[in-house]
Amino acid sequence: MIQVTINGQSETLDASLSVLGLLESRGLAGKRVAVERNGEIVPKGRHAETRLVEGDQIEIVVAVGGG
């Protein structure tokens, strides 16, 4: 298990979790989201290969449409 911060909240997650796995666990896979890891944007094409590690600071922003 690892300790990370997601959108300002400390959470304990499985140590093998990828960014894609995190999004899937929150029902956000396939949606229009931006993910920042430790101050850097993680491109959508790298979500599956980017593993979370102890102490990561993650920000997830969901695009909302409307008008």
Side-chain angles (χ1 to χ4, degrees), residues 10-66:
S10 181
E11 297 194 31
T12 302
L13 302 172
D14 182 32
S16 65
L17 198 61
S18 66
V19 170
L20 179 59
L22 175 64
L23 294 175
E24 288 173 342
S25 73
R26 295 172 185 277
L28 297 173
K31 296 194 177 181
R32 296 184 64 192
V33 298
V35 179
E36 183 181 275
R37 177 178 174 236
N38 302 324
E40 295 187 18
I41 297 292
V42 180
K44 185 176 181 179
R46 300 197 64 170
H47 285 182
E49 67 189 57
T50 303
R51 299 278 173 218
L52 302 180
V53 298
E54 181 73 30
D56 272 349
Q57 301 282 322
I58 305 294
E59 293 294 326
I60 302 172
V61 178
V62 179
V64 178

